[in-house]
Amino acid sequence: MILETLRRIVGEVGRARDLNGALEAIVRGVRDSLDVAVSSVYLVPRSQIGERDASLVLMATEGLSRSAVGRVVLGLDEGLVGLVAQRAEAINLDDASTHPRYKHIADIGEEPYHAFLGAPILLRGEVLGVLVVQDRAQRRFSDDQVSFLVTLAAQLASSIIQAELSEAVTQPPAERVALEDALRGVPGSAGVASGEAVVVYPQADLDAVPDRVCTDPADELRQLKAARAAVRQELATLRQGMSQRVSNEECALFDAFAMMLNSESLFVGMERRIRAGQWAPAALRDTIREHASVFEGMDDDYLRQRAEDVRDLGTRILERLQDVEGVVREYPPRAILVGREITVTHLASVPEGRLAGIVSARGSSSSHVALLARALGVPAVMGASELPFERLDRRELFVDGYRGVVHVEPRGALRIELDRLVREEAQLGAELATLRDQPAVTPDGERVHLYVNVGLLADMAPADKVGAEGIGLYRTEIPFQVRDNFPGEDEQTRIYREALAAYAPRPAVLRTLDVGGDKPLGYFPIVEDNPFLGWRGMRLTLDHPEIFLTQVRAMMRANVGLGNLRILLPMISGVGELDEALGLIERARLELRDESLDGVHVPIGVMIEVPSAVYQIDALAKRVDFLSVGTNDLTQYLLAVDRNNARVAPLYDSLHPAVLRAIADIVAGGQRAHSPVSVCGELAGDPLGALVLLGLGIDSLSMSAGSLPRVKRVIRTVPLERARELARQALACERGDEVRALLRGAIKEYGLGGLVRGDE
Ligand code: PEP
Ligand code: MG
């Protein structure tokens, strides 16, 4: 029951069209469900969140004087509400007026109420506001009531921010208070760019439909009419089919649907919205929300559940609308892809040269989309979970991939500053381009081999532009992901041949399939509770030797006459897996020899990205020709931090001393076995990371093409001796932020501050 009530209130708040609507839904819902006389919500103004001298403003109330809304402003050191915020903890009192922190506020109408319960509204450790209930009697609220309010407050934080941002972006720019700072995610790919937002959204998801101005209402109405007729037809067919299998009673749902579909009130609302300038899918979205919320507000359980039917009907109409409309997308010349979850396929669908930036609500800097963004040299902001997507389509955005911030139509001084940054970026790009033919040699003569990470063929050109020595990591799962079935041996041979030929005689490291985790194959669904600890990479391909053998044979066929292939094995957690994989590779070689295709010796490498592999480094290294450290996964598994989870993104730190210690141990193991050690995780492409890796004794670095010039610049500037000293100091640090400060200091000292702008 409690859960049901919580869900209902959170749902209503989520569907509110603006902040006031959301706050009113909160106070109403709380007062009714706790059966108390007063329920109020106070919020800290956005620009003051996290400040010691922040204030709390009464934003909505049921039970106190309405005229006090917006007028009552308390400091954090004032009153019981301030105390709740200061302590970031609930306070439950039987008589508020006897508490030393009680503050009497005139004209608010609080006098008759004694019992007080306040709960902080917290988002990622910051107090956004306080939720308060009050009652006449002198009594303490029960444990159940306290936990209800605390749970509700915790769940509301994100919806409140969303409502606030959603409202803010619709206001004229001059009235947007500190909005820009609010659109925050985490840095996904370095750079600053401006462009036009293209919101990508899952099909048939009403809540994901963005606002869009319609230019031809008559055409939108025609589409809506066609969709309505198509759904009517579809329902009639469904009913017909069902009536033969179930009773009439069960068919009643279809009748209810048909009734709603014929109801003019539903369509009048849509028509009104379309005539006011909204396109049909968003007019449908808002009208369905409006109707569903009427049902949701009903006391009767049965009627309340009808809200689901309304939404179901809305989804059906939307499906048809999308049919009618087709999903042809026009991409503006500088498109910024924006969405709850941007996928590799979304990226692939943008015509070449038109992708200017990426903003994703989900994911973090080590998600695969972020890696691709870096490969393409496009700035990306990840984990912007509160971004009001539906309001952003076609708006002008600035994406700051250094700091992980998005700006919507910035004006004034901010705009001037951002324009300057974009210009500087272009200049930096041009400057870095001049490094193309320069070797990556430190001022004291140490040569560092720099390679690129690739996945989509589109990556090849930029790699060549930056003067890479070869491919250090080809993620072969990417060509598998953009298809709709497993590519056959011939097709794979063609794909790999293209990559090998583009770089020959320079080496190209092809990694065997690493699907699972966050890299699903649509045509090979895997459902697991813990995908990153599940059937992923080598584990999956060893269970499907036919997939592995086909792939390895295709790689070896592609290598004939070129001889630059190296094979890399992902997600090895122990010698058993490695021996098995090596056995299969030998089998593939013998099979090809039977066809008289005896390739040259192919060097085999193993990825060190699972902590157990670090502790078995000697046993692994002696079996293979080279080691490649996957710092993305090594960090996630060593620190137990999901690399894609925006909530724990601040904990995901590849410069954590524990990660550096593991890398130092891997380097030592490689040296004992005379196996070269490279790093192909994202740490290699981070100027700070590359610096410390150089000092730790890594032989080569492989990174996105977009990152390579920056890293080359670092290598050509900082002497190896200094890097070694920094690595020693970094290993002695106890915290990641100390390591970061140390390396940042050194980078700046060498005049390279512009490369690490986001670390300000
Ligand atoms: C890594 O884990 O560091 C790595 C390079 O592989 P991926 O990011 O593809 O998992
Ligand atoms: Mg990995």
Side-chain angles (χ1 to χ4, degrees):
M1 187 56 199
I2 285 188
L3 275 183
E4 178 52 32
T5 315
L6 279 173
R7 205 184 56 81
R8 190 163 43 82
I9 301 179
V10 173
E12 269 171 39
V13 173
R15 280 186 294 278
R17 297 298 286 153
D18 55 22
L19 183 61
N20 268 346
L23 299 175
E24 272 162 22
I26 294 173
V27 288
R28 220 177 23 246
V30 169
R31 193 190 61 170
D32 294 350
S33 21
L34 287 183
D35 196 19
V36 289
V38 176
S39 155
S40 320
V41 58
Y42 294 76
L43 289 188
V44 176
R46 270 222 69 87
S47 56
Q48 297 178 13
I49 289 175
E51 307 274 316
R52 286 164 71 93
D53 56 354
S55 48
L56 286 152
V57 184
L58 175 66
M59 298 296 288
T61 181
E62 283 280 338
L64 297 183
S65 160
R66 296 250 172 165
S67 62
V69 169
R71 273 198 310 110
V72 172
V73 181
L74 297 166
L76 292 186
D77 54 356
E78 282 184 293
L80 290 164
V81 174
L83 189 60
V84 173
Q86 257 178 345
R87 289 194 187 160
E89 237 177 15
I91 295 181
N92 183 7
L93 301 170
D94 49 6
D95 190 355
S97 61
T98 61
H99 192 280
R101 276 289 294 264
Y102 176 75
K103 177 180 160 103
H104 179 258
I105 303 167
D107 301 334
I108 186 174
E110 254 182 343
E111 292 76 7
Y113 307 112
H114 295 281
F116 172 100
L117 170 62
I121 303 170
L122 289 164
L123 184 69
R124 292 191 271 277
E126 303 277 16
V127 178
L128 304 187
V130 176
L131 201 51
V132 177
V133 292
Q134 291 167 278
D135 226 351
R136 276 175 201 276
Q138 288 198 12
R139 60 156 176 125
R140 280 172 85 81
F141 287 95
S142 71
D143 281 358
D144 279 353
Q145 288 174 311
V146 175
S147 56
F148 175 85
L149 200 69
V150 168
T151 317
L152 181 68
Q155 293 193 14
L156 285 176
S158 176
S159 318
I160 290 178
I161 292 274
Q162 257 176 30
E164 213 171 5
L165 293 180
S166 173
E167 182 171 297
V169 294
T170 51
Q171 285 167 355
E175 289 167 29
R176 284 189 220 146
V177 188
L179 166 68
E180 282 72 17
D181 249 13
L183 301 179
R184 248 175 209 291
V186 293
S189 166
V192 184
S194 60
E196 193 178 320
V198 176
V199 176
V200 292
Y201 56 99
Q203 297 296 295
D205 177 354
L206 264 181
D207 285 326
V209 169
D211 280 348
R212 192 172 294 167
V213 178
C214 89
T215 43
D216 184 356
D219 188 48
E220 297 292 314
L221 286 170
R222 189 190 51 70
Q223 293 186 24
L224 185 62
K225 205 168 148 202
R228 185 181 182 186
V231 173
R232 193 176 286 135
Q233 180 63 44
E234 176 188 305
L235 288 174
T237 318
L238 279 175
R239 192 191 195 295
Q240 177 91 32
M242 288 300 274
S243 63
Q244 284 150 19
R245 282 179 282 151
V246 298
S247 70
N248 258 353
E249 218 167 285
E250 269 135 350
C251 276
L253 176 63
F254 292 101
D255 298 335
F257 272 163
M259 246 167 64
M260 279 193 271
L261 205 55
N262 290 329
S263 128
E264 277 318 306
S265 73
L266 200 61
F267 285 86
V268 165
M270 292 184 210
E271 194 176 326
R272 182 172 42 79
R273 291 186 160 96
I274 290 174
R275 293 207 190 280
Q278 187 62 279
W279 72 321
L284 171 73
R285 175 200 68 199
D286 292 345
T287 313
I288 291 290
R289 277 180 181 167
E290 194 177 85
H291 280 249
S293 71
V294 172
F295 282 107
E296 263 151 6
M298 293 182 174
D299 282 336
D300 183 285
D301 243 11
Y302 175 80
L303 287 175
R304 232 187 355 256
Q305 279 164 23
R306 299 287 68 75
E308 273 312 307
D309 300 340
V310 176
R311 273 197 287 273
D312 189 356
L313 182 72
T315 308
R316 281 174 191 277
I317 303 175
L318 181 66
E319 269 167 15
R320 292 305 173 157
L321 267 180
Q322 287 168 338
D323 261 11
V324 175
E325 202 203 352
V327 205
V328 191
R329 263 220 170 276
E330 296 272 312
Y331 288 93
R334 297 190 51 72
I336 303 212
L337 280 188
V338 179
R340 260 179 239 289
E341 181 135 37
I342 305 282
T343 63
V344 174
T345 341
H346 288 138
L347 288 199
S349 65
V350 183
E352 214 185 323
R354 294 203 162 203
L355 183 65
I358 294 168
V359 182
S360 178
R362 304 234 168 96
S364 67
S365 64
S366 44
S367 304
H368 283 90
V369 171
L371 309 192
L372 271 178
R374 269 171 279 190
L376 298 168
V378 167
V381 171
M382 306 294 293
S385 49
E386 275 89 36
L387 212 65
F389 295 97
E390 41 182 69
R391 305 264 190 250
L392 294 181
D393 200 48
R394 309 290 150 159
R395 311 277 294 264
E396 185 201 35
L397 301 186
F398 277 68
V399 180
D400 179 347
Y402 286 111
R403 294 188 303 136
V405 179
V406 182
H407 305 271
V408 184
E409 291 161 0
R411 294 286 176 269
L414 179 66
R415 164 130 213 153
I416 295 170
E417 174 63 9
L418 284 168
D419 281 335
R420 187 182 66 77
L421 280 181
V422 171
R423 271 198 313 278
E424 259 185 39
E425 271 298 300
Q427 212 175 355
L428 178 67
E431 212 182 287
L432 292 174
T434 62
L435 293 179
R436 183 198 139 146
D437 298 318
Q438 311 277 338
V441 179
T442 61
D444 47 355
E446 175 77 2
R447 165 122 202 169
V448 185
H449 302 282
L450 299 185
Y451 297 92
V452 281
N453 293 352
V454 298
L456 285 177
L457 281 185
D459 303 344
M460 299 295 172
D464 225 14
K465 254 190 242 151
V466 293
E469 289 181 53
I471 300 177
L473 171 66
Y474 183 140
R475 291 184 165 93
T476 59
E477 53 278 2
I478 296 177
F480 277 65
Q481 278 183 298
V482 296
R483 284 174 171 68
D484 46 23
N485 52 16
F486 276 109
E489 192 161 329
D490 289 347
E491 192 180 355
Q492 286 191 50
T493 306
R494 190 187 53 70
I495 299 170
Y496 304 147
R497 176 99 190 158
E498 220 166 299
L500 294 181
Y503 282 85
R506 293 172 284 180
V509 179
L510 307 197
R511 183 174 71 183
T512 62
L513 203 58
D514 183 20
V515 288
D518 70 332
K519 292 179 281 192
L521 292 180
Y523 48 90
F524 191 78
I526 304 171
V527 180
E528 293 178 314
D529 284 344
N530 281 309
F532 274 114
L533 301 182
W535 210 37
R536 187 192 160 187
M538 207 67 239
R539 301 167 180 185
L540 185 150
T541 47
L542 285 179
D543 284 346
H544 275 279
E546 77 288 3
I547 299 177
F548 187 72
L549 283 167
T550 307
Q551 185 173 37
V552 170
R553 277 196 309 265
M555 288 177 176
M556 289 179 169
R557 282 184 203 283
N559 192 36
V560 172
L562 293 173
N564 58 337
L565 168 69
R566 283 154 176 53
I567 294 179
L568 181 60
L569 304 170
M571 281 295 291
I572 294 282
S573 59
V575 288
E577 286 162 342
L578 179 56
D579 286 341
E580 215 179 314
L582 292 175
L584 288 172
I585 293 175
E586 179 58 9
R587 188 171 133 193
R589 196 182 66 79
L590 294 176
E591 284 169 8
L592 290 184
R593 201 185 56 185
D594 290 344
E595 290 179 36
S596 315
L597 283 179
D598 204 3
V600 286
H601 167 73
V602 176
I604 311 290
V606 62
M607 288 213 55
I608 306 297
E609 53 183 346
V610 179
S612 56
V614 179
Y615 294 104
Q616 291 216 294
I617 198 69
D618 291 316
L620 296 172
K622 72 178 183 207
R623 287 169 160 81
V624 291
D625 302 291
F626 65 98
L627 303 173
S628 188
V629 188
T631 48
N632 306 340
D633 279 314
L634 188 59
T635 305
Q636 116 162 317
Y637 294 128
L638 213 47
L639 304 184
V641 180
D642 180 343
R643 61 193 268 184
N644 286 310
N645 184 340
R647 195 172 293 153
V648 288
L651 295 177
Y652 183 93
D653 184 4
S654 295
L655 287 174
H656 191 291
V659 179
L660 299 185
R661 167 59 52 202
I663 297 172
D665 291 349
I666 299 167
V667 170
Q671 283 167 352
R672 284 192 295 273
H674 304 289
S675 264
V677 182
S678 71
V679 171
C680 63
E682 291 307 298
L683 190 61
D686 168 5
L688 302 182
L691 180 57
V692 75
L693 291 172
L694 174 68
L696 286 171
I698 290 289
D699 301 289
S700 61
L701 301 171
S702 188
M703 66 206 75
S704 315
S707 309
L708 197 139
R710 288 184 173 79
V711 167
K712 200 187 261 190
R713 177 94 181 266
V714 171
I715 289 169
R716 290 176 56 82
T717 313
V718 185
L720 175 65
E721 259 326 300
R722 184 68 206 282
R724 285 196 176 132
E725 187 191 319
L726 286 166
R728 270 194 299 276
Q729 290 170 334
L731 284 173
C733 288
E734 292 181 346
R735 303 159 55 116
D737 47 11
E738 286 169 39
V739 175
R740 199 170 293 279
L742 170 77
L743 299 172
R744 193 166 57 216
I747 287 269
K748 283 193 176 153
E749 190 189 303
Y750 285 95
L752 302 177
L755 299 179
V756 290
R757 192 176 278 152
D759 279 304
E760 291 304 323

Coordinates of all heavy atoms in Angstrom, one line a residue, residues 184-189 360 363-366 380-384 400-405 646 649-650:
R184 N 24.0 19.6 -16.1 CA 25.3 19.0 -15.8 C 25.3 17.5 -16.0 O 24.3 16.8 -15.6 CB 25.7 19.2 -14.4 CG 26.8 20.1 -14.2 CD 27.2 20.4 -12.8 NE 27.8 21.7 -12.8 CZ 29.0 21.9 -13.3 NH1 29.7 21.0 -13.8 NH2 29.5 23.1 -13.3
G185 N 26.3 17.0 -16.6 CA 26.5 15.5 -16.6 C 28.0 15.3 -16.2 O 28.5 16.0 -15.4
V186 N 28.6 14.3 -16.9 CA 30.0 14.1 -16.7 C 30.7 14.2 -18.0 O 30.1 13.9 -19.0 CB 30.3 12.7 -16.0 CG1 29.8 12.7 -14.6 CG2 29.8 11.6 -16.8
P187 N 32.0 14.6 -18.0 CA 32.7 14.7 -19.3 C 32.8 13.3 -20.0 O 33.0 12.3 -19.3 CB 34.1 15.1 -18.9 CG 34.0 15.7 -17.5 CD 32.9 14.9 -16.8
G188 N 32.4 13.3 -21.3 CA 32.4 12.0 -22.0 C 33.5 12.0 -23.0 O 34.2 11.1 -23.3
S189 N 33.7 13.2 -23.7 CA 34.8 13.3 -24.7 C 35.1 14.8 -24.7 O 34.3 15.7 -24.8 CB 34.2 12.8 -26.1 OG 35.1 13.2 -27.1
S360 N 24.1 12.6 -23.5 CA 23.3 11.4 -23.2 C 22.9 11.4 -21.7 O 23.8 11.7 -20.9 CB 24.1 10.1 -23.5 OG 23.4 9.0 -23.1
G363 N 24.9 6.6 -18.9 CA 26.3 6.3 -19.3 C 27.3 7.3 -18.6 O 26.9 8.3 -18.0
S364 N 28.5 6.9 -18.8 CA 29.6 7.7 -18.2 C 30.7 7.8 -19.1 O 30.6 7.4 -20.3 CB 30.0 7.1 -16.9 OG 30.7 5.9 -17.2
S365 N 31.9 8.3 -18.6 CA 33.0 8.6 -19.6 C 33.5 7.3 -20.2 O 34.2 7.4 -21.2 CB 34.1 9.4 -18.9 OG 34.6 8.5 -17.9
S366 N 33.2 6.2 -19.6 CA 33.8 5.0 -20.2 C 32.8 4.1 -20.9 O 33.1 3.0 -21.3 CB 34.6 4.2 -19.1 OG 33.8 4.1 -18.0
A380 N 31.5 15.2 -25.9 CA 30.3 14.5 -25.4 C 30.1 14.7 -23.9 O 31.1 14.8 -23.2 CB 30.4 13.0 -25.7
V381 N 28.8 14.9 -23.6 CA 28.5 14.9 -22.1 C 27.6 13.7 -21.8 O 26.7 13.5 -22.5 CB 27.7 16.2 -21.8 CG1 27.2 16.2 -20.4 CG2 28.6 17.5 -22.1
M382 N 28.0 13.0 -20.8 CA 27.3 11.7 -20.5 C 26.6 11.9 -19.1 O 27.0 12.8 -18.3 CB 28.3 10.6 -20.4 CG 29.1 10.3 -21.6 SD 28.2 9.9 -23.0 CE 27.6 8.3 -22.6
G383 N 25.7 11.1 -18.8 CA 25.1 11.0 -17.5 C 24.3 12.3 -17.1 O 24.2 12.7 -16.0
A384 N 23.8 13.0 -18.1 CA 23.1 14.3 -17.8 C 21.7 13.9 -17.5 O 20.7 14.1 -18.3 CB 23.1 15.2 -19.0
D400 N 30.0 21.3 -23.7 CA 31.3 21.4 -23.1 C 31.8 20.0 -22.6 O 31.4 19.7 -21.4 CB 31.3 22.5 -22.0 CG 32.7 22.6 -21.4 OD1 33.6 21.8 -21.6 OD2 32.9 23.6 -20.6
G401 N 32.5 19.3 -23.4 CA 32.9 18.0 -23.0 C 34.1 17.9 -22.0 O 34.4 16.9 -21.6
Y402 N 34.7 19.1 -21.8 CA 35.7 19.1 -20.8 C 35.1 19.0 -19.4 O 35.6 18.3 -18.5 CB 36.5 20.4 -20.8 CG 37.5 20.5 -22.0 CD1 37.2 21.4 -23.0 CD2 38.6 19.7 -22.1 CE1 38.1 21.5 -24.1 CE2 39.5 19.8 -23.1 CZ 39.2 20.7 -24.1 OH 40.1 20.8 -25.2
R403 N 34.1 19.8 -19.2 CA 33.5 19.9 -17.8 C 32.2 19.1 -17.7 O 31.7 18.9 -16.6 CB 33.2 21.4 -17.5 CG 34.4 22.2 -17.4 CD 34.1 23.6 -16.8 NE 33.1 24.3 -17.7 CZ 32.1 25.0 -17.2 NH1 31.9 25.0 -15.9 NH2 31.2 25.5 -18.0
G404 N 31.7 18.6 -18.8 CA 30.5 17.8 -18.7 C 29.3 18.7 -18.5 O 28.4 18.4 -17.8
V405 N 29.2 19.8 -19.2 CA 28.1 20.8 -19.1 C 27.4 21.1 -20.4 O 28.1 21.1 -21.4 CB 28.6 22.1 -18.4 CG1 27.5 23.1 -18.3 CG2 29.2 21.8 -17.1
A646 N 25.8 6.5 -14.0 CA 26.1 8.0 -13.7 C 26.1 8.3 -12.2 O 26.8 9.2 -11.8 CB 25.0 8.8 -14.4
A649 N 29.5 7.7 -11.0 CA 30.5 8.2 -11.8 C 31.6 8.9 -11.1 O 32.8 8.7 -11.4 CB 30.0 9.0 -12.9
P650 N 31.3 9.7 -10.0 CA 32.4 10.4 -9.4 C 33.4 9.4 -8.7 O 34.5 9.7 -8.4 CB 31.7 11.2 -8.3 CG 30.3 11.4 -8.8 CD 30.0 10.1 -9.5

